[in-house]
Structure formats: C-alpha cells, structure tokens
Amino acid sequence: ALHARQEVCAVVGLQELDGGSFRTNFINQAEFLAREAGFQCWHEKINRNIGLVAKHSLGVLSRMNSTAVNRHKLPGGLPGRGALVVEFGQEHNSLALMLVHLSLGRKARKQQVEFLGDIIRQYEHVILMGDMNCRPDSEEMDLLKRRTGLKSSGCTMPSYPSWNPTHKLDH
C-alpha cells in the first residue's frame, strides 16, 4: 500500500529574540532556530537596535512560504516596540499573522492598540499574538477586540515570569 506523506503546516511566533549581537555571540536567533528546526521560511523585526550590544527582535518561523511581510514601529513614548505582519495565501483569501510586542505602560499600549486596529481592519483573516504586557481581559485588549472584531483565543495559561508563571501577558 502507498501512504501519502502528510506535511505539517506550522507557524511559530517568537518574542524577545536577538537579531545577532554580542549577547548571542552574533547569532541571529530567528535564523538559527528556523534552520535547526527545519523551517523553510523565517522573518524578523528588530524593535530595538543597540548596535553590537543587543538587537531586540520578533521572529516568525513557518513551513509555508509567505506572500508578503510588513514591519511596523509602534507608537509610544519610548522607542523599541513593534509589529511583524506575515501574510500567507493570495489577496482576498490570505491569512495575516501579526506578531507584536507592546509597551509596559497602559497609555502607550492604548495608543498601540489603536494603531494596530487600523492595520488589522485591512485584513479579513488575522491571527494576532505576542507579548501584550497586559492581561487578556484588560481595558486595552477589550478596546482592540471592539475596534477589530477579533476574539480571544481562550488560552488561560500564565506566561510570566518564565521561571514561575503567574501572569497572562503573552496571548
């Protein structure tokens, strides 16, 4: 009997990577992880470039080829927050995966979700994920859901701090 090989479609969003600086021995972590895990497609967005010292970034790894990539600086008092939008598929039926890292301050996060809302409304199919730096039931996330029609994933697992997670900041 013949067995068809079944491909696993996988997409991974990564936060708090380094784009190749002293702190990672000049290894671009998104590229390294993609290569080591067998992902054919990877994209990054450097949010804060501190030269040779650090390159704080976001990364998306995929086993599917992307059709478009957009990188956005998010508004706020301090620079260094961003969004990476990777599209899969063709035009009206495409899927936009948006990976974000929002600010620590509530006022800046509100500005950022307003900005993201304008981007999200350009797409019919969107998955938003990332380090929101706020709870899923926060005022900022409620505002984002009202503006965009997005729904919460329902994931209730704490993610911060990594050594003893008690807060739900990554969703």
Side-chain angles (χ1 to χ4, degrees):
L2 295 175
H3 296 284
R5 182 172 178 228
Q6 192 173 25
E7 288 292 320
V8 176
C9 292
V11 177
V12 177
L14 299 163
Q15 298 289 330
E16 306 199 21
L17 296 172
D18 190 273
S21 70
F22 177 77
R23 72 182 188 147
T24 60
N25 201 26
F26 300 98
I27 293 171
N28 180 311
Q29 292 179 316
E31 179 182 18
F32 174 82
L33 290 169
R35 187 176 58 249
E36 291 298 307
F39 286 88
Q40 66 191 42
C41 183
W42 67 274
H43 301 283
E44 73 173 341
K45 159 77 172 83
I46 296 176
N47 288 331
R48 186 173 293 130
N49 188 345
I50 310 172
L52 297 176
V53 176
K55 294 182 181 182
H56 303 158
S57 63
L58 306 170
V60 170
L61 316 180
S62 174
R63 291 206 166 91
M64 302 174 289
N65 287 324
S66 58
T67 53
V69 178
N70 293 291
R71 294 166 178 87
H72 303 275
K73 290 182 180 181
L74 295 181
L78 296 173
R81 302 299 178 169
L84 174 60
V85 182
V86 181
E87 294 179 53
F88 301 95
Q90 299 301 317
E91 297 180 20
H92 73 282
N93 202 23
S94 69
L95 170 66
L97 174 73
M98 179 181 282
L99 182 64
V100 301
H101 193 172
L102 302 184
S103 292
L104 295 172
R106 179 176 286 151
K107 181 179 177 184
R109 281 194 308 269
K110 284 184 179 179
Q111 290 176 328
Q112 291 165 354
V113 300
E114 292 278 345
F115 178 85
L116 292 171
D118 292 339
I119 297 169
I120 290 168
R121 285 196 306 270
Q122 297 173 25
Y123 299 100
E124 185 175 347
H125 308 289
V126 179
I127 296 173
L128 171 68
M129 62 182 174
D131 185 345
M132 307 300 181
N133 275 315
C134 60
R135 295 187 336 255
D137 61 351
S138 69
E139 184 179 336
E140 302 92 285
M141 290 296 99
D142 287 344
L143 173 63
L144 183 64
K145 288 186 273 188
R146 281 194 314 274
R147 286 199 56 168
T148 63
L150 289 177
K151 307 279 188 258
S152 179
S153 69
C155 180
T156 59
M157 295 183 61
S159 60
Y160 180 85
S162 61
W163 59 89
N164 184 23
T166 56
H167 301 287
K168 301 169 189 169
L169 303 182
D170 304 284
H171 43 98

